[in-house]
Amino acid sequence: HQVEPERGSILLDKKDDTAKSIFKQEDLVMAYVPFNFGHTVSEKVLQHGIRWGDCGSRDPEADCLGWQISNATGCNLMYVPGKLWPLKSAESHFGSRTIFGILRDPYERMVAQFRGTYRLEHPELGCDVDAGVKKMMEEYLAAVEAGNPWANNCNYLPQAEFFDQPFGATLAVDNRRFPDSMNEVFQKHGYDIQILTEEVGHVSGCDSKWAADLSPETKALVHKVYHRDFDLICKEFGYCDPTENVCLTRVPGMCPPQLFEWNEDKKIYETKI
């Protein structure tokens, strides 16, 4: 007899749109890694009736699982690695689905966190990204030393924590190539969803600052906190040079304009000659 495909199976006849529609929205679920375009993804899939992460809202929603408070950490549940979720919630939300997580270069990610939040909380820093990221890392290392890795609503947790089992991501999405990398995953798993360049939400301000502006001392602190992330990125994508300076060439506003020029036709940054 014919074996029935498991829930979420993508081994379906591509011509069979009816079969595809039955399975396509049960295959994937997102591990919401902070500052990795999770809101953009959540906002997009909400248009298709899917509630991931912050349920597409920057403001707390009572009926959104991601906005609930974790007893284990005190953080919003969306910012908590699946391994620390209440078992019933984890089984209901993640289940046997394919869990994906967007994985971002740590130096570039810290620059984004500085640009997006930290500099606004510390206006005395201006656009001094090196001093800002150094201070961020020193504060977080002190919190970890004091037994509180959940500081700042879990926003400084290593990304690798979200790939730990159980209920951790098993599919890594390359943030360097976002949104293309995310769209490729959607397509492969049978979702009729495509994130357009203009739909990507991103930080702004201090646009000329990027990973190359971090001093060796600051980078050493970032590496100390996020060494598992560097290892994971090397393993998953083959990006194994811990000194590499990265900007997001497929998201406008995410590469320094003095070095890169946005090509609107190709939707990509090109290096200035």
Side-chain angles (χ1 to χ4, degrees):
H1 69 283
Q2 186 175 0
V3 178
E4 290 293 320
E6 295 179 6
R7 184 182 69 175
S9 171
I10 58 170
L11 300 176
L12 299 168
D13 186 344
K14 293 194 180 297
K15 295 178 182 177
D16 190 347
D17 292 332
T18 305
K20 277 179 68 180
S21 68
I22 292 171
F23 292 102
K24 70 179 182 181
Q25 292 191 2
E26 293 187 287
D27 182 27
L28 291 175
V29 66
M30 178 170 63
Y32 191 96
V33 186
F35 272 87
N36 287 17
F37 295 108
H39 174 71
T40 292
V41 175
S42 297
E43 203 171 37
K44 186 67 179 183
V45 300
L46 184 65
Q47 299 171 12
H48 298 259
I50 302 169
R51 292 166 70 80
W52 290 341
D54 62 10
C55 301
S57 174
R58 293 287 193 191
D59 300 311
E61 291 193 357
D63 62 344
C64 176
L65 185 63
W67 280 106
Q68 292 182 13
I69 301 298
S70 159
N71 290 331
T73 65
C75 306
N76 292 115
L77 200 57
M78 59 186 164
Y79 296 136
V80 177
K83 63 183 179 180
L84 296 174
W85 279 41
L87 185 58
K88 285 187 178 179
S89 296
E91 288 177 341
S92 169
H93 186 70
F94 298 113
S96 59
R97 298 173 177 88
T98 299
I99 306 171
F100 72 88
I102 301 171
L103 195 51
R104 188 168 190 167
D105 294 271
Y107 302 138
E108 191 272 326
R109 184 170 180 252
M110 288 302 101
V111 171
Q113 289 194 233
F114 171 80
R115 291 177 60 200
T117 59
Y118 197 81
R119 71 180 179 88
L120 303 177
E121 298 165 357
H122 299 272
E124 72 278 5
L125 290 168
C127 284
D128 190 343
V129 66
D130 183 54
V133 172
K134 183 171 184 281
K135 188 173 168 66
M136 285 162 57
M137 295 297 92
E138 289 173 341
E139 289 174 353
Y140 184 62
L141 284 166
V144 172
E145 184 70 24
N148 183 26
W150 326 121
N152 295 90
N153 203 14
C154 292
N155 274 208
Y156 292 120
L157 278 176
Q159 299 166 84
E161 297 271 339
F162 294 85
F163 288 77
D164 288 342
Q165 302 307 316
F167 304 112
T170 57
L171 173 60
V173 178
D174 186 357
N175 192 76
R176 286 193 195 186
R177 300 192 305 105
F178 192 88
D180 298 4
S181 54
M182 188 70 246
N183 290 333
E184 288 164 10
V185 170
F186 280 139
Q187 184 177 26
K188 181 178 178 182
H189 288 258
Y191 289 76
D192 187 20
I193 297 175
Q194 184 175 20
I195 299 171
L196 305 177
T197 301
E198 53 268 28
E199 294 175 323
V200 178
H202 57 85
V203 298
S204 60
C206 301
D207 291 8
S208 66
K209 300 300 180 181
W210 71 307
D213 293 310
L214 301 180
S215 66
E217 183 184 4
T218 299
K219 285 185 174 182
L221 288 172
V222 174
H223 197 278
K224 182 175 181 179
V225 175
Y226 298 114
H227 59 94
R228 289 185 65 208
D229 294 354
F230 284 97
D231 292 344
L232 191 58
I233 287 167
C234 177
K235 175 188 169 189
E236 293 288 345
F237 308 133
Y239 305 147
C240 300
D241 179 1
T243 67
E244 186 177 9
N245 296 312
V246 172
C247 68
L248 306 184
T249 58
R250 305 179 192 211
V251 180
M254 295 304 291
C255 285
Q258 70 272 23
L259 298 173
F260 297 86
E261 187 168 4
W262 180 255
N263 185 319
E264 181 59 30
D265 292 332
K266 295 180 181 178
K267 303 290 186 186
I268 197 167
Y269 273 108
E270 297 172 337
T271 308
K272 285 185 175 179
I273 299 172

